[in-house]
Amino acid sequence: MENRTGSEPTAMKNRTTSERKSARELVITRTINGPARLVFEAWTRPELFKQWWVPKSAGLTLLSCDMDVRPGGTYKLVFKHGASEPMAFYGRYTDVTPHSRLVWTNEEGGEAGPVTTVTFKEDGGRTLVVLQELYPSKEALDAAIASGSTSGDMNETFDQLDALVVTLK
C-alpha cells in the first residue's frame, strides 16, 4: 500500500473471517504475512506454537504442549486459567502434508469432537490459512458456539501468529 507522504509504505492488517458453512461446519480464514513453510512450522513446532496459540487477552496459560506431528501421532495441550484446575485438550493427527495441510481429531470430553482441518496456500510470499472444524452434529456445533469454545474468535490468535511468522527466517 502506498501512502502519499513519501515515507515507507504502511502495512495493512489482515482480516480474520469466521463463517458457519453448514449445520456442522465452521470455517475461519486469514492471510498470514509469510511463506507457507514458516506458517506450517509455527503450527507444528511446539516451541513456536506456544508463542502464538493462546490469545494474550484470555488470561490463559499454556502449561504444556506435546505434539507428535505425523499421521497417527498425538497432541496434548494443557491450559490453566487463574486458580481453576488445568484443562487438557488432546487428539490425533490423521493427515500431515508439509507446508499445505494438517488434520487432527479433538478427543477431549469423552465424546466424538470436531475434526479440524487446516490448509496453507501460499501466494506471493503470503499464506492463506483456512481452518475448518467439522462437528459430529448440528447440536454439537450449536453447543460449542453457545459456550464460546469454538475457534470462531481467532482474530487475536492469528494476529499473534502473523507477528511471530514475520520474525522467522
Side-chain angles (χ1 to χ4, degrees):
M1 173 196 265
E2 184 178 344
N3 65 25
R4 300 191 184 279
T5 64
S7 60
E8 289 297 311
T10 55
M12 286 182 54
K13 185 173 179 181
N14 294 321
R15 189 169 143 238
T16 303
T17 63
S18 177
E19 182 181 355
R20 187 170 186 162
K21 294 282 192 175
S22 71
R24 298 175 40 218
E25 179 184 19
L26 184 67
V27 176
I28 297 111
T29 60
R30 169 72 175 252
T31 297
I32 301 295
N33 295 318
R37 175 185 62 82
L38 295 179
V39 177
F40 186 86
E41 284 181 16
W43 281 82
T44 58
R45 292 179 43 202
E47 68 275 12
L48 298 176
F49 188 83
K50 290 190 292 191
Q51 295 180 51
W52 69 271
W53 182 249
V54 178
K56 292 187 183 352
S57 69
L60 289 171
T61 303
L62 182 54
L63 299 175
S64 67
C65 176
D66 299 314
M67 304 167 83
D68 179 12
V69 186
R70 61 182 172 82
T74 60
Y75 72 91
K76 183 176 181 183
L77 308 174
V78 179
F79 297 92
K80 185 165 177 55
H81 185 267
S84 68
E85 288 296 312
M87 305 168 287
F89 295 86
Y90 52 89
R92 184 169 309 282
Y93 294 98
T94 60
D95 185 2
V96 178
T97 305
H99 313 152
S100 66
R101 182 177 162 97
L102 284 171
V103 181
W104 66 84
T105 63
N106 296 274
E107 299 173 6
E108 61 278 347
E111 298 178 4
V115 173
T116 304
T117 301
V118 183
T119 59
F120 308 85
K121 184 175 182 190
E122 186 172 338
D123 183 16
R126 295 170 38 132
T127 302
L128 176 64
V129 175
V130 178
L131 185 150
Q132 174 210 36
E133 291 185 314
L134 185 60
Y135 283 77
S137 67
K138 175 190 181 302
E139 294 74 19
L141 177 53
D142 289 345
I145 290 171
S147 72
S149 65
T150 65
S151 297
D153 189 19
M154 296 271 305
N155 199 51
E156 183 178 3
T157 300
F158 280 132
D159 286 350
Q160 292 170 183
L161 173 59
D162 227 342
L164 173 66
V165 168
V166 299
T167 68
L168 303 176
K169 296 290 177 206

